[in-house]
C-alpha cells in the first residue's frame, strides 16, 4: 500500500450495462464525510430506463452463461480478476474519502474482494456435482438430484465495506451460473463501481452489470419479474423493505442485516496485550461501523476492571482524524445522521447515571470542523434497558456489562432481536464450546471477534432479525441455485 496517490481530482463513474459504459441523464455528488462541503466525485444516477436496460442485458446473457460448466465459468472469472490489484492504492484512496474510514482499511476492503473471489473459484468442482438416489423398497426409480442457476440476480451492498462484502456473494452467484446486476451504495459508490466495471469488461457482455443511483429509482432491481433473486446487506429496516418489495413477485432474498453481537468474557479469559488488541479491534475497527463488530461486552465481574483498563489504554492512543492522513487510527462516521444517533446514545447513558468515559481529541484542522467525527466512549455497567445496550450502535461506543454466572451471561447475550455473531473468551476449550453452542447466532469466535478473523470459507449469515440465508462457501453457491430431480424408472426394481 502506498499513500502517494493523487486525490485532488474528483472521480467520475458511469453505468456499465451489457458490456458498455454509459452515462446517465443525471449524476449524484458524493460527499466527503470528513470534510464538510467537499465533493469526492460524481456517480451516474440511473433512471428507470437505465435499470430496465440492465435487467434486459443480464437476462439476454443468462442462457449462454448458464450453459457453461462451472469449471469453464471459473476459468473466465479467474481471467476477469487478473490485474485487480493494479489499481488497489487508487481505489483505497477513493473509498477512504467517500466512506471516511482510514486508508489501510479501505485497502484491505479491496484485498478481501480478491481473496473471496479466489476462494469461491476453488468451489468449481463441487458446483455441478449431482447426488444419485438408488432404488429402494417401494421406490423403483433411480433419481439424480442436480443443481440449476436461478437467472438474473441483484446484489446490493452497503457503504461500510462495500467491495469486500460484494465478494461474499457475487462470485458465488456467477459461478452458480447466474448473471448479475450490482447496486453500490448511493453514498459511497465510486470505488465499488470502478472495481466491478474492470471485472465486467472481461466477462461476456451482460453477465455482470453495475448501476448506481438513488434508491427510489432502483425499485425494478427488486420488483421486476425478471429478477430471480436479491442479495442485500444492510440495516434491518432496509432488509424488511427489500423483503416486502420482493414478495410482490416472489423473488427470493438473502438478507445479511444488522447485529448486536455479544462478546462473553469468562472468568478464566486470557487478557494479555494480544487478546486486548483483538477485543479493541473487534469493537472499534471502521469507527464501529461493521455489522459483525462486538456491540455488547459481557465481562465476568472479577475481570471487569482489567477490561476497562485495557480498552482505556488503547483508546487513549486513538488518533481521530481524516482517513487519508498519516497516523489517523479512527476516521469519521459515514453520515451526519449516524453521528447524531451515536452521540444521542452516549448522552442518554450519561443522563441515566452510567459510568461513561470518552477518549481522544477531535481533529483541530479547520477543514475538518463539522465533519462526522466523534470521540469514542466506554459505557461501564449501564442499565440493560438503555439503547446503547439494546440497539446496534454502529459507532465508536461500547457497553461493558458485568455478570456473575455463566447462565446469566448467556441469557443476557441472547436477549436481543439480533443473531449475527458472538464470541467467547476463555482459556478452556470445553467452556468455549459449551457457551458458544448456546449463543443464538450464525457465527461464533473463540478468543477473538470481528471481520479480520472471519473464516472466508465458512457459511456466514444471521439468525432472528439479523437476516436469512448464507453467504460464502458451497452453501453460498447453493443459495443461488435450485435443485432439479430426474427420476428414471428401473424395470427390475419395479418388478420386484
Amino acid at each position: 500500500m502506498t499513500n502517494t496517490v493523487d486525490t485532488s481530482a474528483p472521480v467520475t463513474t458511469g453505468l456499465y450495462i451489457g458490456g458498455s459504459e454509459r452515462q446517465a441523464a443525471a449524476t449524484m455528488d458524493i460527499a466527503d464525510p470528513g470534510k464538510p462541503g467537499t465533493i469526492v466525485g460524481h456517480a451516474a444516477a440511473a433512471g428507470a430506463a437505465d435499470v430496465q436496460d440492465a435487467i434486459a442485458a443480464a437476462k439476454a446473457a443468462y442462457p449462454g452463461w448458464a450453459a457453461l460448466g462451472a469449471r469453464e465459468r471459473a476459468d473466465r472469472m479467474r481471467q476477469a480478476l487478473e490485474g485487480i490489484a493494479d489499481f488497489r492504492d487508487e481505489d483505497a484512496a477513493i473509498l477512504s474519502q467517500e466512506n471516511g474510514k482510514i486508508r489501510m482499511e479501505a485497502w484491505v476492503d479491496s484485498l478481501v474482494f480478491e481473496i473471496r473471489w479466489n476462494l469461491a473459484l476453488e468451489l468449481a468442482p463441487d458446483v455441478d456435482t449431482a447426488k444419485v438416489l438408488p432404488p429402494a423398497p417401494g421406490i423403483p426409480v433411480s433419481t439424480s438430484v442436480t443443481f440449476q442457476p436461478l437467472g438474473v440476480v441483484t446484489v446490493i451492498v452497503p457503504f461500510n465495506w462495500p467491495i469486500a462484502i460484494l465478494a461474499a456473494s457475487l462470485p458465488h452467484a456467477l459461478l452458480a451460473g447466474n448473471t448479475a446486476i450490482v447496486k453500490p451504495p448511493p453514498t459511497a459508490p465510486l470505488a465499488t463501481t470502478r472495481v466491478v466495471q474492470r471485472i465486467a469488461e472481461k466477462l461476456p457482455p451482460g453477465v455482470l452489470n453495475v448501476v448506481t443511483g438513488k434508491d427510489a429509482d432502483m425499485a425494478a432491481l427488486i420488483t421486476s419479474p425478471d429478477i430471480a433473486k436479491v442479495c442485500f446487506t444492510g440495516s434491518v429496516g432496509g432488509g424488511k423493505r427489500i423483503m416486502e418489495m420482493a414478495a410482490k413477485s416472489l423473488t427470493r432474498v438473502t438478507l445479511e442485516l444488522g447485529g448486536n453481537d455479544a462478546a462473553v468474557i469468562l472468568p478464566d479469559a486470557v487478557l494479555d496485550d494480544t487478546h486486548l488488541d483483538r477485543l479493541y479491534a473487534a469493537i472499534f475497527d471502521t469507527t464501529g461501523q461493521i455489522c459483525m463488530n462486538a456491540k455488547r461486552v459481557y465481562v465476568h465481574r472479577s475481570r471487569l476492571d482489567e477490561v476497562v483498563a485495557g480498552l482505556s489504554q488503547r483508546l487513549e492512543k486513538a488518533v481521530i482524524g481524516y482517513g487519508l492522513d498519516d497516523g489517523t487510527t479512527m476516521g469519521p462516521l459515514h453520515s451526519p445522521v449516524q453521528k447524531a444517533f451515536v452521540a444521542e446514545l452516549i448522552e442518554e447513558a450519561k443522563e441515566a447515571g452510567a459510568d461513561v468515559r470518552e477518549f481522544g481529541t477531535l481533529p483541530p484542522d479547520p477543514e475538518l470542523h463539522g465533519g462526522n467525527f466523534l470521540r469514542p466512549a466506554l459505557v461501564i455497567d449501564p442499565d440493560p434497558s438503555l439503547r446503547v445496550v439494546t440497539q446496534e450502535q454502529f459507532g465508536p461506543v461500547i457497553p461493558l456489562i458485568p455478570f456473575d454466572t455463566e447462565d446469566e451471561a448467556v441469557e443476557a447475550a441472547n436477549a436481543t432481536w439480533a443473531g449475527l455473531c458472538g464470541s467467547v473468551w476463555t482459556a478452556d476449550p470445553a467452556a468455549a464450546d459449551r457457551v458458544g453452542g448456546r449463543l443464538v447466532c450464525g457465527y461464533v469466535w473463540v478468543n477473538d471477534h470481528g471481520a479480520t478473523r472471519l473464516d472466508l470459507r465458512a457459511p456466514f449469515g444471521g439468525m432472528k432479525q439479523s437476516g436469512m440465508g448464507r453467504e460464502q462457501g458451497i452453501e453460498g453457491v447453493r443459495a443461488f441455485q435450485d435443485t432439479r430431480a430426474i427420476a428414471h424408472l428401473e424395470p427390475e426394481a419395479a418388478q420386484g
Side-chain angles (χ1 to χ4, degrees), residues 15-280:
L15 312 175
Y16 193 80
I17 297 173
S20 299
E21 182 178 4
R22 68 162 77 168
Q23 297 303 314
T27 59
M28 301 184 298
D29 293 338
I30 308 304
D32 187 325
K35 296 181 178 179
T38 298
I39 299 300
V40 179
H42 312 277
D50 297 313
V51 173
Q52 291 296 339
D53 286 349
I55 295 171
K59 182 179 180 180
Y62 170 70
W65 184 250
L68 301 177
R71 293 176 187 268
E72 186 172 355
R73 288 194 292 268
D75 288 341
R76 298 195 181 193
M77 291 170 62
R78 189 172 292 107
Q79 294 169 9
L81 189 69
E82 291 179 358
I84 193 68
D86 294 347
F87 297 90
R88 185 163 292 146
D89 289 347
E90 188 175 342
D91 292 335
I94 294 168
L95 181 57
S96 176
Q97 291 174 91
E98 62 180 336
N99 170 285
K101 63 185 177 182
I102 62 175
R103 186 194 299 266
M104 174 55 78
E105 288 185 338
W107 193 88
V108 172
D109 204 321
S110 176
L111 175 63
V112 172
F113 180 95
E114 181 178 3
I115 294 171
R116 274 178 160 159
W117 190 280
N118 284 320
L119 286 173
L121 299 187
E122 291 181 7
L123 301 169
D126 301 324
V127 172
D128 295 333
T129 301
K131 179 172 68 174
V132 178
L133 305 175
I139 308 176
V141 295
S142 176
T143 304
S144 296
V145 180
T146 60
F147 299 93
Q148 55 188 320
L150 302 176
V152 179
V153 302
T154 296
V155 183
I156 304 173
V157 293
F159 73 85
N160 57 340
W161 280 77
I163 306 174
I165 288 173
L166 178 60
S169 57
L170 177 61
H172 305 78
L174 295 176
L175 184 64
N178 305 281
T179 54
I181 304 168
V182 173
K183 179 191 173 300
T187 56
L190 303 172
T192 305
T193 298
R194 286 162 50 91
V195 171
V196 175
Q197 180 169 334
R198 287 198 295 270
I199 292 176
E201 288 171 345
K202 299 177 184 178
L203 293 171
V207 168
L208 179 56
N209 311 270
V210 58
V211 292
T212 52
K214 299 177 181 178
D215 290 345
D217 299 323
M218 299 283 162
L221 292 178
I222 303 163
T223 60
S224 170
D226 291 325
I227 298 296
K229 178 161 185 172
V230 176
C231 185
F232 171 83
T233 302
S235 68
V236 174
K240 290 178 178 179
R241 289 192 295 272
I242 294 289
M243 194 171 185
E244 182 179 3
M245 294 169 68
K248 296 176 182 178
S249 55
L250 290 180
T251 298
R252 305 175 190 212
V253 296
T254 288
L255 303 175
E256 198 272 90
L257 308 177
N260 195 18
D261 291 11
V264 179
I265 300 178
L266 298 181
D268 68 339
V270 176
L271 294 176
D272 57 14
D273 283 341
T274 297
H275 288 76
L276 286 167
D277 285 345
R278 293 176 188 170
L279 181 62
Y280 176 81

Side-chain angles (χ1 to χ4, degrees), residues 265-277 279-280 283 297-316 357 359 378 380 400 402 425:
I265 300 178
L266 298 181
D268 68 339
V270 176
L271 294 176
D272 57 14
D273 283 341
T274 297
H275 288 76
L276 286 167
D277 285 345
L279 181 62
Y280 176 81
I283 298 166
V297 178
Y298 292 95
V299 191
H300 190 269
R301 197 173 300 275
S302 65
R303 310 301 298 277
L304 179 62
D305 289 345
E306 291 174 77
V307 172
V308 171
L311 293 178
S312 296
Q313 289 170 6
R314 285 152 181 80
L315 285 168
E316 287 165 357
R357 305 182 191 181
F359 299 84
L378 303 178
I380 303 163
L400 305 176
W425 302 70

